[in-house]
């Protein structure tokens, strides 16, 4: 059985649908390629692959699934960060005057890791 986890949507989901195998399972957790779309969002063009391959596509909202154990997960992940088992990248830009270009980096792929705008030295 093949599983696809999609949080991009759009063209990438269509490509994945072209490649699915018999009894494939597709989980949709987001559609970031569509978030800033100025035109109505179109559904997958290759959705008939689901029928032909007897595959399933289902959406999930991760936070709703893990809400009951969120505190436990946050504590465990914080421990992993402290132990060095989990690493986080941080991209820092400085100055409130850079707000607009810094915000745009979120959508252009020009930052790596957590994007922070530092507005003061404190």
């Amino acid at each position: 059985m093949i599983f696809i986890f999609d949080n991009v949507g759009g063209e990438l989901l269509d490509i994945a649908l072209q490649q699915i195998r018999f009894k494939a399972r597709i989980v949709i957790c987001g559609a970031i390629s569509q978030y800033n779309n100025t035109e109505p969002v179109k559904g997958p063009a290759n959705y008939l692959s689901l029928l032909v391959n007897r595959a399933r596509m289902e959406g999930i909202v991760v936070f709703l699934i893990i809400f009951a154990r969120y505190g436990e997960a946050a504590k465990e992940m914080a421990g992993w960060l402290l132990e060095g088992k989990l690493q986080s990248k941080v991209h820092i830009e400085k100055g409130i005057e850079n707000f607009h270009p810094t915000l745009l980096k979120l959508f252009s792929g020009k930052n790596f890791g957590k994007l922070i705008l530092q507005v003061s030295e404190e």
Side-chain angles (χ1 to χ4, degrees):
M1 190 176 305
I2 303 297
F3 293 93
I4 297 171
F5 183 88
D6 178 54
N7 62 356
V8 177
E11 185 178 347
L12 289 177
L13 177 57
D14 274 336
I15 292 168
L17 286 171
Q18 289 175 352
Q19 306 299 317
I20 64 172
R21 295 183 182 169
F22 185 73
K23 297 276 188 172
R25 300 292 181 257
I26 300 172
V27 176
I28 302 173
C29 185
I32 197 165
S33 70
Q34 304 300 302
Y35 293 166
N36 294 321
N37 201 349
T38 57
E39 298 175 12
V41 175
K42 294 179 182 175
N46 295 314
Y47 74 94
L48 288 177
S49 286
L50 296 167
L51 171 66
V52 171
N53 292 293
R54 267 79 94 221
R56 290 186 188 176
M57 186 163 60
E58 184 175 354
I60 66 166
V61 179
V62 173
F63 189 74
L64 295 177
I65 294 171
I66 64 167
F67 182 74
R69 299 183 67 193
Y70 184 81
E72 177 186 340
K75 185 177 179 180
E76 189 168 0
M77 289 175 66
W80 293 342
L81 280 167
L82 290 172
E83 294 169 17
K85 292 180 180 177
L86 183 64
Q87 296 180 0
S88 174
K89 291 185 178 185
V90 179
H91 180 137
I92 300 173
E93 294 287 335
K94 295 185 178 186
I96 191 70
E97 66 278 2
N98 293 314
F99 171 79
H100 190 254
T102 300
L103 179 66
L104 292 178
K105 286 182 180 185
L106 288 173
F107 307 105
S108 65
K110 293 186 178 174
N111 73 294
F112 296 95
K114 184 176 188 174
L115 181 59
I116 296 174
L117 178 62
Q118 182 178 341
V119 295
S120 74
E121 293 296 323
E122 296 177 22

